[in-house]
């Protein structure tokens, strides 16, 4: 510490001396370089003022006493700046630490998501999920029961950030711990509702849509809990129909009932499930209309399900100037044959 | 060297405490940067007494230990005490709107810092700066 001070003092002395002799821009450039060095060595503002005072006194021996006193005065003022500077440094270190903890949380959250998309020759599935911040409040899940059914969940935890991420793990383990035999969507949501109601604070809510796709009969049975309605797309008529559901948001009432619906699919038909981050895309021109969203999907209809969701995301990302307002999750299922 | 104590009950007494601290710091042989630091620390401690406990005392003395010499500042009051010491010692926590000041600031300005506070009974702080 003392040693660096001495070498910094020598360095400063020679730069200042050079400047006093030549008044050149080159010396000022050296001064700029020197200030980088100071910051690197964590020198506080009051130490720098003192360094200047000491060096100036050596270089200009006949400084008037008023100037020396004024320098001491400046030193007093700079102590406060020094404190603020050091506090700032410590807060910055803490922020870096928090950020790295958050990055670990985000990675753990990624591990809660399915490792792979179920593969089937009759059903093509595409999924795109992007967090607005580091951690996401959106969740999706697949359940393959090996019995010609694929269970599909899309959930949105109201609220973003860490609290949302924490309750996501609860949703996952609640679904995973449900009985082995295939559950009807309404029964599954009733079970989840009970878990959520008992375990999370009353100011947090979870919306969810859960559906079961029958790979043999090609029907999609679904129930919703206050979730953004999905779409059914009829390939031959090129029409979209909203998948409206009646059912309360999870966690509000102890005994909630969820109505069950069924949609039959012909080859080429799509089921589209999403979180409200997709429809709440905002730009200066306002929210995106659901009709605009379906227009984009129709445009990419000839592509694979995964390519469709990727393309929709790219367009909406552009639309919002690459500033995601809310977590984005879009899932598309297509009956192949 | 004996102890100098200043009773804190007004903004004027903050100035008196600073003055006493500066005099002793000079006598002990501190340079101008450390004088300014010790004085600022005393100022913060006295202000805390004035703002939160209303009345208290700041004592300043020269301390000698083995082969080092320094200045010890003690602040004591019978005010409301500090409920959550950990929070008060955190950077960024402030009740007086000061940047970088407060107790974390005092701790940074000095070499040793000890605080003892009981809710409803008062606060005692000892801080030492050693001469390098």
């Amino acid at each position: 510490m003392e040693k660096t001070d001495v070498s910094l003092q020598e360095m400063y002395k020679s730069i200042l001396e050079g400047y006093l002799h030549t008044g050149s821009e080159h010396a000022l450039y050296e001064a700029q370089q020197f200030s980088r060095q100071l910051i690197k060595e964590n020198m506080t503002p009051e130490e720098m003022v003192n360094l200047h005072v000491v060096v100036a006194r050596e270089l200009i021996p006949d400084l008037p006493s008023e100037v020396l006193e004024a320098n001491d005065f400046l030193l007093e003022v700079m102590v406060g700046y020094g404190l603020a500077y050091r506090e700032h440094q410590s807060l910055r270190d803490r922020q870096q630490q928090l950020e790295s903890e958050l990055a670990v949380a985000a990675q753990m959250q990624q591990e809660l998501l399915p490792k792979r998309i179920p593969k089937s020759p009759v059903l093509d599935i595409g999924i795109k999920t992007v967090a607005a911040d580091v951690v996401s409040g959106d969740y999706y899940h697949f359940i393959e029961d090996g019995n010609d059914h694929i269970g599909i969940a899309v959930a949105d935890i109201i609220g973003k950030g860490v609290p949302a991420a924490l309750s996501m793990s609860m949703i996952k383990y609640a679904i995973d711990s449900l009985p082995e035999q295939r559950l009807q969507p309404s029964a599954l949501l009733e079970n989840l509702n009970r878990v959520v109601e008992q375990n999370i604070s009353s100011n947090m809510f979870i919306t969810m849509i859960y559906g079961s796709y029958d790979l043999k009969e090609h029907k999609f049975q679904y129930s919703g809990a206050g979730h953004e309605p999905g779409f059914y797309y009829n390939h031959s008529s090129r029409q979209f129909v909203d998948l409206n559901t009646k059912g309360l948001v999870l966690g509000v009432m102890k005994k909630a009932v969820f109505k069950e619906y069924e949609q039959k699919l012909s080859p080429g038909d799509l089921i589209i499930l999403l979180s409200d981050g997709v429809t709440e895309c905002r730009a200066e021109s306002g929210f995106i209309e659901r009709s605009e969203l379906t227009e984009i999907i129709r445009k990419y209809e000839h592509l694979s399900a995964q390519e469709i969701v990727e393309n929709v995301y790219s367009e909406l990302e552009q639309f919002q100037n690459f500033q995601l307002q809310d977590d984005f999750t879009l899932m598309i299922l297509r009956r192949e044959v | 060297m004996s102890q100098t104590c200043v009773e804190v009950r007004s903004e004027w007494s903050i100035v008196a405490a600073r003055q006493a601290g500066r005099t002793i710091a000079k006598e002990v042989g501190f340079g101008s940067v450390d004088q300014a630091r010790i004085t600022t620390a005393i100022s913060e401690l006295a202000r805390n007494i004035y703002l939160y406990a209303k009345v208290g005392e700041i004592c300043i003395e020269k301390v000698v230990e083995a082969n080092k010499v320094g200045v010890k500042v003690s602040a004591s009051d019978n005010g409301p005490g500090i409920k959550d010491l950990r929070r008060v010692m955190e950077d960024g926590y402030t009740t007086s709107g000061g940047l970088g000041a407060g107790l974390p600031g005092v701790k940074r300005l000095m070499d040793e810092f000890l605080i003892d506070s009981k809710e409803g009974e008062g606060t005692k702080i000892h801080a030492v700066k050693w001469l390098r």
Side-chain angles (χ1 to χ4, degrees):
Chain A
M1 179 81 191
E2 289 297 316
K3 211 173 159 196
T4 33
D5 279 1
V6 170
S7 75
L8 279 177
Q9 188 174 329
E10 289 305 312
M11 220 189 286
Y12 188 71
K13 190 176 172 185
S14 96
I15 296 169
L16 182 58
E17 195 168 22
Y19 181 69
L20 291 176
H21 281 135
T22 63
S24 72
E25 193 59 40
H26 179 257
L28 291 177
Y29 176 61
E30 282 186 319
Q32 187 204 349
Q33 304 285 83
F34 181 76
S35 74
R36 279 174 208 257
Q37 181 83 13
L38 288 181
I39 292 166
K40 226 169 85 190
E41 308 237 355
N42 284 328
M43 196 180 230
T44 61
E46 75 268 25
E47 283 165 338
M48 180 54 223
V49 169
N50 188 54
L51 177 62
H52 176 78
V53 171
V54 170
V55 169
R57 220 181 255 184
E58 282 177 35
L59 291 175
I60 318 161
D62 47 0
L63 272 178
S65 66
E66 286 95 336
V67 173
L68 295 175
E69 278 161 28
N71 283 340
D72 286 342
F73 190 83
L74 175 62
L75 201 60
E76 291 286 325
V77 173
M78 294 315 284
V79 170
Y81 274 93
L83 280 179
Y85 175 74
R86 281 151 81 175
E87 180 187 53
H88 178 82
Q89 282 180 318
S90 119
L91 290 174
R92 197 186 53 195
D93 290 349
R94 203 162 71 189
Q95 186 190 352
Q96 278 170 351
Q97 187 198 341
L98 287 175
E99 273 170 10
S100 68
E101 277 177 25
L102 209 55
V104 174
Q107 207 201 324
M108 283 179 67
Q109 190 181 36
Q110 281 300 309
E111 284 164 21
L112 295 176
L113 294 175
K115 301 275 179 295
R116 58 178 207 94
I117 300 173
K119 292 262 176 290
S120 157
V122 296
L123 189 69
D124 181 23
I125 302 176
I127 171 80
K128 180 80 182 173
T129 185
V130 182
D133 295 327
V134 186
V135 289
S136 174
D138 282 1
Y139 180 61
Y140 69 93
H141 195 62
F142 298 114
I143 303 169
E144 289 174 90
D145 67 353
N147 216 352
D148 294 325
H149 282 84
I150 295 178
I152 289 139
V154 173
D156 184 353
I157 294 130
I158 307 300
K160 284 190 284 185
V162 174
L166 289 173
S167 41
M168 181 179 297
S169 68
M170 177 178 66
I171 290 284
K172 177 189 163 57
Y173 296 120
I175 295 180
D176 284 350
S177 63
L178 290 175
E180 284 289 314
Q181 74 266 30
R182 182 171 58 85
L183 278 173
Q184 286 299 114
S186 57
L188 184 135
L189 288 185
E190 276 161 33
N191 270 307
L192 273 186
N193 178 61
R194 212 166 23 244
V195 174
V196 172
E197 201 271 332
Q198 280 169 9
N199 293 290
I200 66 173
S201 64
S202 54
N203 57 2
M204 277 192 72
F205 304 104
I206 297 173
T207 73
M208 181 161 165
I209 186 157
Y210 182 82
S212 173
Y213 191 94
D214 184 331
L215 296 167
K216 272 203 175 128
E217 304 291 328
H218 293 288
K219 38 179 205 183
F220 183 65
Q221 288 181 305
Y222 60 97
S223 290
H227 195 78
E228 176 78 17
F231 300 96
Y232 159 67
Y233 174 68
N234 185 310
H235 174 63
S236 55
S237 69
R238 307 204 75 208
Q239 292 300 311
F240 283 89
V241 181
D242 285 352
L243 298 180
N244 285 311
T245 55
K246 266 193 179 155
L248 217 55
V249 171
L250 300 180
V252 176
M253 258 174 59
K254 199 165 243 153
K255 284 199 172 144
V257 179
F258 301 91
K259 200 166 175 224
E260 205 164 283
Y261 305 83
E262 185 176 302
Q263 177 65 54
K264 283 196 180 306
L265 284 87
S266 302
D269 289 357
L270 308 176
I271 294 287
I272 296 131
L273 304 179
L274 55 152
S275 67
D276 61 7
V278 179
T279 45
E280 278 172 20
C281 279
R282 248 163 301 191
E284 280 164 23
S285 52
F287 285 113
I288 185 183
E289 298 286 329
R290 279 170 69 88
S291 60
E292 290 176 80
L293 174 64
T294 53
E295 210 45 59
I296 302 171
I297 296 173
R298 200 181 275 134
K299 191 164 86 184
Y300 296 113
E301 193 207 335
H302 59 284
L303 299 171
S304 75
Q306 190 59 40
E307 285 166 330
I308 301 174
V309 295
E310 299 285 352
N311 277 297
V312 171
Y313 175 71
S314 311
E315 283 212 10
L316 293 182
E317 195 185 23
Q318 294 264 0
F319 174 76
Q320 325 182 67
N321 263 325
F322 302 95
Q323 293 187 330
L324 219 51
Q325 310 281 346
D326 195 1
D327 303 321
F328 177 105
T329 300
L330 178 65
M331 187 187 298
I332 291 185
L333 321 174
R334 172 167 41 208
R335 176 175 171 188
E336 288 293 358
V337 284
Chain B
M1 196 180 293
S2 64
Q3 213 183 30
T4 307
C5 291
V6 176
E7 191 187 35
V8 178
R9 52 168 70 244
S10 67
E11 237 176 330
W12 291 114
S13 44
I14 301 177
V15 176
R18 290 177 57 108
Q19 184 60 62
R22 191 180 299 276
T23 306
I24 294 180
K26 251 184 212 166
E27 283 168 11
V28 171
F30 282 103
S32 33
V33 177
D34 279 341
Q35 277 179 38
R37 284 176 176 153
I38 293 166
T39 313
T40 304
I42 291 171
S43 218
E44 282 298 313
L45 292 172
R47 259 181 74 81
N48 275 346
I49 292 176
Y50 171 64
L51 288 175
Y52 304 114
K54 307 299 174 205
V55 184
E57 196 181 44
I58 298 271
C59 291
I60 302 130
E61 62 192 303
K62 178 180 176 178
V63 279
V64 184
E65 232 179 61
N67 50 358
K68 54 185 180 177
V69 55
V71 165
K72 178 176 173 183
V73 180
S74 310
S76 58
D77 66 64
N78 301 315
I82 298 164
K83 198 171 168 186
D84 189 347
L85 272 181
R86 214 178 116 184
R87 268 200 72 199
V88 169
M89 292 309 297
E90 252 174 32
D91 279 319
Y93 175 87
T94 171
T95 50
S96 49
L99 266 171
L103 294 181
V106 174
K107 194 174 171 192
R108 284 210 175 88
L109 290 167
M110 307 294 279
D111 296 320
E112 285 176 22
F113 182 91
L114 263 175
I115 180 165
D116 182 19
S117 186
K118 283 198 179 65
E119 220 186 334
E121 286 180 32
T123 305
K124 283 188 180 15
I125 295 172
H126 296 279
V128 181
K129 184 94 185 160
W130 296 109
L131 186 64
R132 277 168 221 285

